[in-house]
Amino acid sequence: MIYGIIDLGSNTIRLSIFKYNDGKIKLLSNKKEIVGLALCVENGRLTEKGIEKTCEILNKYRESLENAQVKVYSVFATASLRNIKNKDEALQEIKAKTGMEPEILFGEEEARLGFLAVKSEYDVENGIVIDIGGGSTEIVVFEEGEIRELTSIPIGALNLQDGNIPGLVAKEKDIKRMRRIVSKALDKLDWENKEYSQMYAVGGTARATLKVAKELFGVPVESKSFSRVELKGIIRKMKSEVHEEYKSVYKIIPERIFSFAGGISILSEIVKKFNCTQINISKAGIREGYFIDRIVNYLKENQKIKEAEEKVKEEILEKDEAGEKIGE
């Protein structure tokens, strides 16, 4: 089975095409457009320009799906539409111009799907999962492989940086201010105060941080994780007043100049709160989690039902055959 998923996010809009066969999931293609919808929100409303950008990309992806002969697909939106005041009007216009009806995921549902994605890649026991998006951040605490707590806070890499950095590059005072904002939001969580050494991170900020750690701090190329020490080293360079120091970071990830300082501020505060020592990066994300939850699990459940029905039929046939023999 081939299935398409469009993820309408606050910073990027992505299209992933998956194939599911013999119990295995394979990513066939992945496309990304950086749109920055979080920057198209004024007075809590998504602007007409933001809606037009969304429709343009969705129509482009619909053509891609048609060209790939993908007939079944889903579209979902996260904080990009979840947190705006004119949600209903935006959805109506998107449907009218694209024929698509995005499913809006609640924050806790988004967190749960991120956890499913991580579990598909890692054999997890105890730790936390985070997904830093453009307009929100999802956090899951799990123990013995099961969710214990989960939440979504309306602070993302893009909206945090846009509201707190007057210039193009974050200064030390800007990063301190952003970290204080995140810290206050985390302090409001009514969770048991526990430490988890292992963090599993989903999303572009996490992948970008790993890329910087490899380039600047000698993390092995094949590694899927970096340490708290290396994270502190990256932040130290970003706060530096020496031009070459902070420039060395942005040279590696120039496409994230408008969100990386915000994202890494969120990441560092969550690491601090839970005293994480290792940050593991998940290649799988919310699209994989959505596919597993909505499609794979559905197919598995249907298969179980079919097998149960076949078993019942076999038992009935066996009883009938036994009855005929007795009658003889």
Side-chain angles (χ1 to χ4, degrees), residues 296-306:
V296 175
N297 289 347
Y298 172 78
L299 293 174
K300 285 181 178 178
E301 190 61 32
N302 272 3
Q303 184 61 34
K304 286 181 182 178
I305 292 170
K306 287 180 181 179

Side-chain angles (χ1 to χ4, degrees), residues 141-161:
V141 170
F142 62 92
E143 294 179 355
E144 297 181 359
E146 299 296 331
I147 293 175
R148 189 171 70 83
E149 303 280 4
L150 78 171
T151 192
S152 175
I153 58 176
I155 301 173
L158 197 57
N159 63 8
L160 179 63
Q161 182 162 330

